[in-house]
Amino acid sequence: MNSCKVAVIGATGAVGQVFLKIAEERKFPIDALRLCASERSLGKKLKFNDEDIAVELCDEKLLQEVDFAFISASGDVSREIAPMAAKNGAVAIDDSSAFRMDRSVPLVVPEVNAEDLLAHKGIVSIPNCSTTPLVMTLKPLMRHATVRRVIADTFQSVTGTGAAALAEMEHQSEAVLNTRPVTSNEYPHQIAFNVMPHICLLYTSPSPRDGLLS
């Protein structure tokens, strides 16, 4: 495919913004780009390749007009949009936890199991930010030895919770440094200059399926 039509669902969020930046840097062959987000961002303009593109809502008609839908939003949004994209002929690439445990959906890290993409049925899922580098490290080791057990400790960044959480940390940091009161909305406790154990209390992300490294 020399060029394609792409929709980015969650384009105004932290992951959506990184997608656009990387697509620009790597000169990804996009000949039509649709940027989608929630109603509160409707009409906002984002720049891509020196072009201002207005944010719009994602609907079935839009998905009929694209080849790929990159979904970087909540699990609820993914469960609604991904099947709709597949039904209308687009390939949905989802980075939420919505389909990670669904055995009919390939769970893919291209450097590890790209061949699984051949079995997709319109939806492709990716592991979370901890699993991806872990399996990329384990894959070459497994060519030389049997890995029976892995113990991993991870430190999750605020950006993993989204743009609103990052903005909250920035505001809290400014408040702390200026000895002003700190308020919390995105997290149950102050996140600035802090760490929180038990991340499962904030959001859950299923473990990778068996077979990702098989």
Side-chain angles (χ1 to χ4, degrees), residues 19-146:
F19 170 84
L20 296 177
K21 181 173 182 288
I22 292 175
E24 275 190 333
E25 290 174 350
R26 299 187 179 182
K27 296 180 171 53
F28 194 79
I30 299 173
D31 61 5
L33 179 64
R34 311 289 291 272
L35 303 181
C36 304
S38 63
E39 287 188 358
R40 66 177 177 271
S41 297
L42 191 61
K44 179 179 180 179
K45 291 188 176 180
L46 301 176
K47 193 172 289 292
F48 181 76
N49 286 339
D50 296 323
E51 179 185 355
D52 289 325
I53 301 176
V55 172
E56 54 189 317
L57 298 178
C58 181
D59 58 20
E60 195 159 5
K61 183 176 183 300
L62 183 148
L63 292 171
Q64 291 170 354
E65 299 171 355
V66 299
D67 302 303
F68 297 98
F70 288 87
I71 308 176
S72 299
S74 68
D76 288 341
V77 170
S78 294
R79 280 184 281 271
E80 176 185 357
I81 299 298
M84 191 189 304
K87 174 187 171 185
N88 286 282
V91 177
I93 302 174
D94 182 56
D95 71 3
S96 78
S97 63
F99 301 99
R100 287 177 185 155
M101 302 303 288
D102 186 335
R103 291 190 176 275
S104 67
V105 176
L107 182 65
V108 176
V109 176
E111 296 83 354
V112 174
N113 63 328
E115 65 279 1
D116 287 356
L117 287 169
L118 299 173
H120 80 77
K121 299 176 182 177
I123 303 174
V124 177
S125 185
I126 65 172
N128 70 9
C129 55
S130 303
T131 303
T132 298
L134 179 61
V135 296
M136 288 176 65
T137 302
L138 292 175
K139 183 67 173 182
L141 293 176
M142 292 178 65
R143 297 192 189 106
H144 304 285
T146 299

Side-chain angles (χ1 to χ4, degrees), residues 3 7 10 39-40 81 110-111 147 157 191 198:
S3 63
E39 287 188 358
R40 66 177 177 271
I81 299 298
E111 296 83 354
V147 178
S157 67
I191 190 62
H198 307 301

Side-chain angles (χ1 to χ4, degrees), residues 158 163 165-175 191-192:
V158 169
L166 178 60
E168 179 168 290
M169 185 187 73
E170 291 172 344
H171 295 150
Q172 288 181 353
S173 297
E174 182 182 5
I191 190 62

